[in-house]
Amino acid sequence: MPFVPPPRLRRRALALLPLGLAGCAAGVGPHQLDLDQMGYADALGEGLKRQMLLNMVRLRYADVPTFLSVSQLIAGYQVQATGQLGLNAYPNAAPGNYATVGGTVQYTNRPTFTFTPVTGQRFAQSYLRPLAPAELLSLAQSGAPVDLLFRLGVQSVNGLPNGATQDGRAQEASGGFLALMHALRAIQAAGAVSLRFERGKDGARVFLRLGDDRGPAGEAARQVRRLLGLPPGMSEPEVIYGRSPRGRGQVAVLTRSVLQVLYELGGQIEVSAGDVARGETRPNDPGERLLRIRQGDRAPADAYAAVTYRGRAFWIEAGDYASKGVFTFVHVLQVLAESGQGQPTPIVTIPAQ
């Protein structure tokens, strides 16, 4: 005699099926939130690296840089679950066909991205405005290498010129500037570099604390004073923006804009002789390179950042730690320049329906 499921067993099957489908649907939300947060964060970071690298390459070839910011990310997904259960009672049911169970789960994902071109006043303020000296020094106080920050973002300090590109030719940093960077790095390593802010009727004033001559970096502090022409024993010179100091006991820092930083680093890209012969770019300049960007037919699969420009690949190698560090700090300077404009940060909105 064929087996007929008892009423209690049938009721359990009917109750468990929708619960199982509902549990499946409910688990999608938290799981997908974690995937979206990490996935979009990674994709946004990679996009920012590629855009900055591409702008360096474009400037190397006298092309127009483009800046496109992601103003909003919306990842909306929808989960629908349905289920059905049927019972065929004896004696009408065929043997082995007493019950039927079915169900469907439908998942829909509709991501939406909003891009905003950086133009007009926002472009001028973010990329053409020179960085404030206090911004660079604040980063140094937070632990960023002071010599690297100055090599990237400064044109000169009290008239001591940094390396720069003039009239299409690279000019090396002066010996005094390099010696100043070495001494400042020694003071920073001893934990003696800090800032003091003073508010007055003419605005905020910034003072650089160098430590005294008896500290662990006393010799480096004395060298900084000699190179900058500061009075002996002065431990807190005032930092101002400009090419030369306006008074005794001041440090004049002539900073670069973000566009200048990208242009200077783009000038260090090694280009092919064919590109130079065709007049697409200027010849390679000998000398020290803060950032090494390779060029070839195809970038390595594990490149730290890679872009394609005019059929050629440009990339930073994953094993080039020094170049990656420089590239990262350029990104920090770019974010610092943009943050002063009151622009909102990208928003990730994930509605669950």
Side-chain angles (χ1 to χ4, degrees):
M1 181 176 180
F3 172 74
V4 179
R8 183 173 60 181
L9 182 60
R10 293 198 299 268
R11 289 194 297 269
R12 283 184 180 176
L14 286 169
L16 291 176
L17 177 63
L19 287 176
L21 292 173
C24 177
V28 172
H31 177 68
Q32 193 63 34
L33 176 63
D34 180 67
L35 291 178
D36 284 348
Q37 183 179 12
M38 297 299 102
Y40 284 119
D42 181 66
L44 182 60
E46 291 298 319
L48 291 174
K49 289 196 303 184
R50 286 168 50 83
Q51 178 176 256
M52 191 166 68
L53 177 58
L54 180 59
N55 281 329
M56 290 181 185
V57 175
R58 293 175 71 91
L59 288 169
R60 180 66 165 93
Y61 283 81
D63 205 345
V64 178
T66 56
F67 298 91
L68 197 67
S69 65
V70 180
S71 56
Q72 193 173 46
L73 305 174
I74 301 178
Y77 53 84
Q78 183 177 4
V79 180
Q80 294 178 338
T82 61
Q84 60 182 7
L85 175 65
L87 294 176
N88 299 321
Y90 177 82
N92 294 327
N97 189 24
Y98 295 110
T100 59
V101 179
T104 60
V105 177
Q106 181 180 0
Y107 170 76
T108 305
N109 186 13
R110 298 186 180 91
T112 302
F113 309 94
T114 302
F115 297 94
T116 304
V118 182
T119 59
Q121 182 68 17
R122 184 183 172 194
F123 176 82
Q125 292 296 322
S126 298
Y127 300 106
L128 300 182
R129 176 183 63 89
L131 297 163
E135 295 174 340
L136 291 176
L137 292 172
S138 295
L139 288 176
Q141 185 174 250
S142 301
V146 63
D147 53 337
L148 177 58
L149 292 174
F150 273 57
R151 290 294 304 274
L152 291 173
V154 169
Q155 285 284 92
S156 66
V157 181
N158 271 19
L160 300 175
N162 186 12
T165 302
Q166 301 289 343
D167 299 327
R169 291 187 175 184
Q171 296 182 359
E172 295 293 324
S174 67
F177 185 89
L178 296 177
L180 176 64
M181 295 302 101
H182 181 74
L184 286 175
R185 188 72 178 97
I187 297 174
Q188 184 186 39
V193 172
S194 62
L195 298 178
R196 181 174 66 85
F197 295 91
E198 183 179 292
R199 293 194 175 274
K201 61 180 181 179
D202 297 330
R205 302 173 65 188
V206 183
F207 296 87
L208 175 64
R209 291 178 172 176
L210 298 174
D212 54 42
D213 296 347
R214 297 183 300 274
E219 178 56 34
R222 287 192 293 270
Q223 186 178 12
V224 168
R225 296 187 189 97
R226 288 195 301 267
L227 291 170
L228 297 179
L230 298 174
M234 172 172 278
S235 60
E236 291 189 3
E238 182 182 4
V239 180
I240 63 171
Y241 173 81
R243 189 176 298 274
S244 58
R246 295 188 296 267
R248 187 173 174 81
Q250 289 183 333
V251 177
V253 181
L254 185 65
T255 57
R256 293 170 173 166
S257 66
V258 171
L259 195 64
Q260 280 182 288
V261 175
L262 298 179
Y263 176 76
E264 293 294 339
L265 291 177
Q268 300 180 11
I269 299 176
E270 299 177 1
V271 296
S272 66
D275 291 347
V276 176
R278 288 188 296 270
E280 295 186 19
T281 185
R282 58 182 175 79
N284 296 315
D285 292 312
E288 181 187 8
R289 299 182 186 275
L290 294 177
L291 176 65
R292 291 195 173 272
I293 299 176
R294 309 293 181 177
Q295 180 189 174
D297 295 330
R298 180 179 298 179
D302 64 341
Y304 169 72
V307 295
T308 301
Y309 178 77
R310 297 176 63 87
R312 300 283 290 174
F314 296 83
W315 70 89
I316 298 174
E317 294 182 349
D320 190 349
Y321 182 83
S323 292
K324 292 192 298 183
V326 170
F327 194 82
T328 298
F329 277 111
V330 175
H331 173 67
V332 171
L333 293 179
Q334 181 174 323
V335 173
L336 189 65
E338 294 174 348
S339 64
Q341 310 312 312
Q343 297 295 331
T345 56
I347 302 172
V348 179
T349 305
I350 306 177
Q353 302 177 2

